[in-house]
Amino acid sequence: MSDIKVAGLEHLQALCAIDQEVIGNSSRSDEIQQAIEEKRCLLHHFADDITGFLISTEDFFGYDFISLVIVKPSARRKGIASALINAYVKTTKSLKVFSSTNQSNTNMQHVFHALGFVKSGVIDNLDDGDPEIIYVKIASPQQ
């Protein structure tokens, strides 16, 4: 059974292992731990296997920002990133949710488009030769 929940410190090692598998180092371990401690980290699990996670902040010009979505390579292309993003968007009180991805990450761009995010801008000079594309999802009015 698949489920999404707020990560706890008992999940730290597993989340860091997934992140290290994806980026090749453990440089974000402290960031992941802080997000867990501040309850800004959602995880996706299937049965007893953690398959991905999302980290958010609430300090992007006064709006929510999804700063990281990581899916275990062996679990990709199964809707996990979409499920994590949708779960986060449903729980936020922000009228706008922002996120970003590199221009080279066309898979994530497709995910954003499929979920109703629209391009909001571009930031150059973060990664040499690979601009960061900012996306936004504007909440529909509650009736």
Side-chain angles (χ1 to χ4, degrees), residues 65-112:
F65 187 83
I66 299 168
S67 57
L68 189 62
V69 179
I70 296 290
V71 176
K72 184 187 275 191
S74 62
R76 289 188 176 162
R77 308 208 45 86
K78 297 179 181 176
I80 294 168
S82 295
L84 284 162
I85 293 168
N86 278 332
Y88 177 75
V89 168
K90 285 179 185 174
T91 62
T92 185
K93 293 178 176 63
S94 181
L95 296 176
K96 298 176 185 176
V97 175
F98 289 86
S99 193
S100 69
T101 191
N102 287 94
Q103 182 174 302
S104 63
N105 191 345
T106 56
N107 289 336
M108 198 65 201
Q109 291 174 46
H110 292 302
V111 170
F112 285 137

Side-chain angles (χ1 to χ4, degrees), residues 10-74:
E10 68 273 17
H11 305 115
L12 177 62
Q13 185 176 358
L15 298 183
C16 288
I18 293 169
D19 192 55
Q20 185 168 354
E21 181 181 359
V22 170
I23 67 169
N25 62 60
S26 60
S27 63
R28 295 193 291 216
S29 297
D30 290 344
E31 177 185 347
I32 295 168
Q33 180 173 344
Q34 183 175 359
I36 291 171
E37 289 171 351
E38 295 174 358
K39 308 232 180 291
R40 298 182 292 106
C41 183
L42 296 178
L43 67 79
H44 180 278
H45 64 92
F46 182 78
D48 292 331
D49 187 29
I50 296 174
T51 51
F53 66 97
L54 175 152
I55 292 177
S56 64
T57 67
E58 297 176 349
D59 59 359
F60 187 73
F61 299 97
Y63 294 101
D64 290 354
F65 187 83
I66 299 168
S67 57
L68 189 62
V69 179
I70 296 290
V71 176
K72 184 187 275 191
S74 62

